[in-house]
Amino acid sequence: MFATTKTLPQTQPRSVYAPSPIVHSTHRMYASDAGFTNPSALARQAHDAMSLGTSALTQGNADKAQTHLEHALQLHPTSDTHYNMGICQYMLKNIDRAIEHWKKSVQMDPHGADAYVSLGNAYFLSKKESGMAIEYMQKAMELAPSDPEIQFNLACMHESQGSLNQAIELYNKAVSNGLERAQPYLRNAMAKRMKQNI
């Protein structure tokens, strides 16, 4: 999610995309301008720069977004700006820098699930570090326990590790919370488990 308005594919900047690099793209929210409560001139300039960066991300122009978001971070760093910069870096294929910004976002606001989702997806899809991915996604689920996309992503991670019972439980929750596309994954995981028990 980007900082601005929230709604994008799985890992998207707040107010744009948040690269939730998991198996499937989902619609997650972007970061908003909630971090800009300071009425100072610098804070207003940072807010304007972040808005321009978010707009550029929404249009798919990561290079332009990077310029605006760097300016916003120099003026008045916020969790949302770091989150969106993480999305920007992810779009530019700078995975380590994306992770660095999402970690800064989490440090500044440990109560938001989106940065944890992005971290989990980045570790799972790009870094191939399932243990870290599951840890971050589990934290996201603690913060948003009924979010079916988080449940689905965590289920995919557990299934990839052969933890079928955990995967089935999470797929079931995702389906119960309205994520219909989790249904075939649930059936497949149940079939795998049955095959193992034969």
Side-chain angles (χ1 to χ4, degrees):
M1 305 172 109
F2 298 116
T4 292
T5 306
K6 303 181 178 186
T7 298
L8 272 179
Q10 251 176 254
T11 298
Q12 300 169 334
R14 293 186 182 170
S15 215
V16 179
Y17 311 87
S20 272
I22 189 83
V23 180
H24 299 289
S25 249
T26 63
H27 294 295
R28 305 213 54 88
M29 312 296 274
Y30 300 117
S32 70
D33 57 4
F36 293 99
T37 57
N38 184 340
S40 75
L42 283 180
R44 281 193 306 275
Q45 289 174 5
H47 177 267
D48 293 345
M50 189 178 121
S51 294
L52 291 170
T54 298
S55 177
L57 279 175
T58 303
Q59 297 167 9
N61 189 339
D63 291 319
K64 184 176 180 180
Q66 180 173 304
T67 300
H68 292 298
L69 293 171
E70 284 174 347
H71 185 62
L73 286 170
Q74 290 170 354
L75 294 171
H76 183 73
T78 66
S79 172
D80 289 343
T81 308
H82 277 293
Y83 178 84
N84 288 353
M85 180 60 93
I87 294 171
C88 177
Q89 294 304 312
Y90 195 83
M91 290 171 70
L92 294 169
K93 309 281 190 250
N94 298 325
I95 306 306
D96 290 334
R97 289 196 66 208
I99 288 171
E100 177 185 318
H101 282 285
W102 289 325
K103 285 182 176 180
K104 287 179 182 177
S105 178
V106 164
Q107 288 172 350
M108 295 177 87
D109 178 14
H111 304 292
D114 291 333
Y116 289 105
V117 169
S118 295
L119 284 163
N121 285 331
Y123 274 102
F124 186 72
L125 296 174
S126 300
K127 302 293 262 179
K128 309 298 183 207
E129 295 181 30
S130 297
M132 287 296 295
I134 288 171
E135 184 178 318
Y136 282 118
M137 199 62 70
Q138 184 64 45
K139 181 63 178 173
M141 198 167 83
E142 289 170 14
L143 294 168
S146 59
D147 184 318
E149 294 292 344
I150 294 172
Q151 293 162 345
F152 177 79
N153 286 348
L154 187 55
C156 290
M157 291 174 183
H158 280 297
E159 183 177 2
S160 77
Q161 297 302 297
S163 302
L164 293 176
N165 289 335
Q166 290 171 301
I168 290 168
E169 178 183 339
L170 290 163
Y171 285 136
N172 248 328
K173 286 182 181 181
V175 169
S176 295
N177 285 319
L179 189 66
E180 291 184 30
R181 71 180 170 84
Q183 190 67 255
Y185 292 86
L186 173 60
R187 285 192 302 270
N188 289 339
M190 291 172 73
K192 283 183 191 177
R193 184 173 66 183
M194 284 179 57
K195 192 173 185 177
Q196 284 180 350
N197 292 333
I198 293 177

